[in-house]
Amino acid sequence: QLQLVESGGGSVQAGDSLRLSCIASGGTAISYSMGWFRQNPGKEREFVASISNSGGSVNYADSVKGRFTISRNNANTMYLQMNRLKPEDTAIYYCAADQWGRITAQSLSYDSWGRGTQVTVSS
């Protein structure tokens, strides 16, 4: 399993942008597919976006399509560029990695998780 650390969260106004980062260590991150999920208290963890180990394939939740962009470098860092943020985007955002390289929206498929970073969007 990888160790994952998220950063870049914060409090912004609706319409603003944020860029989240996830740094992986403890393994060969480039061989893992990765994803972003989000969660609010009392609610299920929600898929946001995923990216293949090569970065050539991506997948987005309908709620963020056209506003968020997932990417990764050739080493150990994944990003989530979030534009035109809405109050409903408020959540703790988690980075995840799948050692089997699947590109999936199913949280159970991911075997490494970060501790999350808070994103708060006010109207």
Side-chain angles (χ1 to χ4, degrees), residues 6-20:
E6 304 93 337
S7 63
S11 297
V12 297
Q13 298 287 320
D16 286 350
S17 298
L18 279 175
R19 188 193 197 200
L20 304 184

PDB file of all heavy atoms in Angstrom, residues 6-20:
ATOM      1  N   GLU A   6      -2.850  14.450   1.176  1.00  0.00           N
ATOM      2  CA  GLU A   6      -3.523  15.484   0.406  1.00  0.00           C
ATOM      3  C   GLU A   6      -3.164  16.866   0.944  1.00  0.00           C
ATOM      4  O   GLU A   6      -2.867  17.029   2.133  1.00  0.00           O
ATOM      5  CB  GLU A   6      -5.050  15.329   0.482  1.00  0.00           C
ATOM      6  CG  GLU A   6      -5.595  13.998   0.051  1.00  0.00           C
ATOM      7  CD  GLU A   6      -5.776  13.036   1.196  1.00  0.00           C
ATOM      8  OE1 GLU A   6      -5.097  13.208   2.230  1.00  0.00           O
ATOM      9  OE2 GLU A   6      -6.592  12.098   1.068  1.00  0.00           O
ATOM     10  N   SER A   7      -3.253  17.851   0.060  1.00  0.00           N
ATOM     11  CA  SER A   7      -3.078  19.251   0.459  1.00  0.00           C
ATOM     12  C   SER A   7      -3.809  20.137  -0.524  1.00  0.00           C
ATOM     13  O   SER A   7      -4.230  19.673  -1.595  1.00  0.00           O
ATOM     14  CB  SER A   7      -1.592  19.629   0.505  1.00  0.00           C
ATOM     15  OG  SER A   7      -1.010  19.517  -0.772  1.00  0.00           O
ATOM     16  N   GLY A   8      -3.971  21.399  -0.164  1.00  0.00           N
ATOM     17  CA  GLY A   8      -4.558  22.370  -1.073  1.00  0.00           C
ATOM     18  C   GLY A   8      -5.986  22.760  -0.767  1.00  0.00           C
ATOM     19  O   GLY A   8      -6.554  23.624  -1.445  1.00  0.00           O
ATOM     20  N   GLY A   9      -6.587  22.121   0.237  1.00  0.00           N
ATOM     21  CA  GLY A   9      -7.942  22.501   0.592  1.00  0.00           C
ATOM     22  C   GLY A   9      -8.000  23.884   1.209  1.00  0.00           C
ATOM     23  O   GLY A   9      -6.977  24.493   1.520  1.00  0.00           O
ATOM     24  N   GLY A  10      -9.216  24.388   1.383  1.00  0.00           N
ATOM     25  CA  GLY A  10      -9.376  25.693   1.997  1.00  0.00           C
ATOM     26  C   GLY A  10     -10.815  26.169   1.921  1.00  0.00           C
ATOM     27  O   GLY A  10     -11.711  25.414   1.521  1.00  0.00           O
ATOM     28  N   SER A  11     -11.022  27.413   2.317  1.00  0.00           N
ATOM     29  CA  SER A  11     -12.344  28.039   2.281  1.00  0.00           C
ATOM     30  C   SER A  11     -12.355  29.096   1.192  1.00  0.00           C
ATOM     31  O   SER A  11     -11.513  30.005   1.201  1.00  0.00           O
ATOM     32  CB  SER A  11     -12.658  28.672   3.641  1.00  0.00           C
ATOM     33  OG  SER A  11     -12.727  27.696   4.653  1.00  0.00           O
ATOM     34  N   VAL A  12     -13.302  28.972   0.270  1.00  0.00           N
ATOM     35  CA  VAL A  12     -13.389  29.892  -0.865  1.00  0.00           C
ATOM     36  C   VAL A  12     -14.834  30.298  -1.089  1.00  0.00           C
ATOM     37  O   VAL A  12     -15.748  29.750  -0.480  1.00  0.00           O
ATOM     38  CB  VAL A  12     -12.817  29.254  -2.147  1.00  0.00           C
ATOM     39  CG1 VAL A  12     -11.333  28.942  -1.999  1.00  0.00           C
ATOM     40  CG2 VAL A  12     -13.602  28.002  -2.526  1.00  0.00           C
ATOM     41  N   GLN A  13     -15.014  31.263  -1.996  1.00  0.00           N
ATOM     42  CA  GLN A  13     -16.342  31.695  -2.397  1.00  0.00           C
ATOM     43  C   GLN A  13     -16.792  30.903  -3.624  1.00  0.00           C
ATOM     44  O   GLN A  13     -15.968  30.402  -4.399  1.00  0.00           O
ATOM     45  CB  GLN A  13     -16.327  33.182  -2.733  1.00  0.00           C
ATOM     46  CG  GLN A  13     -15.946  34.081  -1.574  1.00  0.00           C
ATOM     47  CD  GLN A  13     -17.045  34.177  -0.535  1.00  0.00           C
ATOM     48  OE1 GLN A  13     -18.215  34.259  -0.875  1.00  0.00           O
ATOM     49  NE2 GLN A  13     -16.657  34.157   0.736  1.00  0.00           N
ATOM     50  N   ALA A  14     -18.106  30.830  -3.799  1.00  0.00           N
ATOM     51  CA  ALA A  14     -18.649  30.194  -4.993  1.00  0.00           C
ATOM     52  C   ALA A  14     -18.074  30.868  -6.237  1.00  0.00           C
ATOM     53  O   ALA A  14     -17.973  32.107  -6.286  1.00  0.00           O
ATOM     54  CB  ALA A  14     -20.161  30.274  -4.983  1.00  0.00           C
ATOM     55  N   GLY A  15     -17.691  30.045  -7.228  1.00  0.00           N
ATOM     56  CA  GLY A  15     -17.090  30.562  -8.445  1.00  0.00           C
ATOM     57  C   GLY A  15     -15.576  30.581  -8.436  1.00  0.00           C
ATOM     58  O   GLY A  15     -14.948  30.725  -9.497  1.00  0.00           O
ATOM     59  N   ASP A  16     -14.986  30.446  -7.271  1.00  0.00           N
ATOM     60  CA  ASP A  16     -13.523  30.419  -7.146  1.00  0.00           C
ATOM     61  C   ASP A  16     -12.955  29.068  -7.566  1.00  0.00           C
ATOM     62  O   ASP A  16     -13.712  28.121  -7.861  1.00  0.00           O
ATOM     63  CB  ASP A  16     -13.106  30.725  -5.703  1.00  0.00           C
ATOM     64  CG  ASP A  16     -13.277  32.190  -5.342  1.00  0.00           C
ATOM     65  OD1 ASP A  16     -13.540  33.006  -6.260  1.00  0.00           O
ATOM     66  OD2 ASP A  16     -13.176  32.516  -4.144  1.00  0.00           O
ATOM     67  N   SER A  17     -11.634  28.992  -7.539  1.00  0.00           N
ATOM     68  CA  SER A  17     -10.926  27.761  -7.912  1.00  0.00           C
ATOM     69  C   SER A  17      -9.998  27.316  -6.782  1.00  0.00           C
ATOM     70  O   SER A  17      -9.539  28.140  -5.977  1.00  0.00           O
ATOM     71  CB  SER A  17     -10.089  27.991  -9.175  1.00  0.00           C
ATOM     72  OG  SER A  17     -10.898  28.326 -10.276  1.00  0.00           O
ATOM     73  N   LEU A  18      -9.736  26.018  -6.745  1.00  0.00           N
ATOM     74  CA  LEU A  18      -8.749  25.426  -5.851  1.00  0.00           C
ATOM     75  C   LEU A  18      -8.047  24.305  -6.590  1.00  0.00           C
ATOM     76  O   LEU A  18      -8.642  23.677  -7.479  1.00  0.00           O
ATOM     77  CB  LEU A  18      -9.403  24.845  -4.595  1.00  0.00           C
ATOM     78  CG  LEU A  18      -9.766  25.763  -3.435  1.00  0.00           C
ATOM     79  CD1 LEU A  18     -10.510  24.988  -2.362  1.00  0.00           C
ATOM     80  CD2 LEU A  18      -8.531  26.426  -2.854  1.00  0.00           C
ATOM     81  N   ARG A  19      -6.815  24.048  -6.178  1.00  0.00           N
ATOM     82  CA  ARG A  19      -6.077  22.924  -6.739  1.00  0.00           C
ATOM     83  C   ARG A  19      -5.617  22.026  -5.597  1.00  0.00           C
ATOM     84  O   ARG A  19      -4.831  22.459  -4.752  1.00  0.00           O
ATOM     85  CB  ARG A  19      -4.863  23.397  -7.531  1.00  0.00           C
ATOM     86  CG  ARG A  19      -4.165  22.280  -8.308  1.00  0.00           C
ATOM     87  CD  ARG A  19      -2.819  22.731  -8.811  1.00  0.00           C
ATOM     88  NE  ARG A  19      -2.296  21.877  -9.874  1.00  0.00           N
ATOM     89  CZ  ARG A  19      -1.014  21.824 -10.211  1.00  0.00           C
ATOM     90  NH1 ARG A  19      -0.131  22.578  -9.575  1.00  0.00           N
ATOM     91  NH2 ARG A  19      -0.606  21.037 -11.192  1.00  0.00           N
ATOM     92  N   LEU A  20      -6.112  20.804  -5.606  1.00  0.00           N
ATOM     93  CA  LEU A  20      -5.705  19.829  -4.608  1.00  0.00           C
ATOM     94  C   LEU A  20      -4.536  19.008  -5.133  1.00  0.00           C
ATOM     95  O   LEU A  20      -4.447  18.737  -6.341  1.00  0.00           O
ATOM     96  CB  LEU A  20      -6.861  18.887  -4.262  1.00  0.00           C
ATOM     97  CG  LEU A  20      -8.160  19.528  -3.787  1.00  0.00           C
ATOM     98  CD1 LEU A  20      -9.165  18.432  -3.399  1.00  0.00           C
ATOM     99  CD2 LEU A  20      -7.931  20.481  -2.644  1.00  0.00           C
TER     100      LEU A  20
END
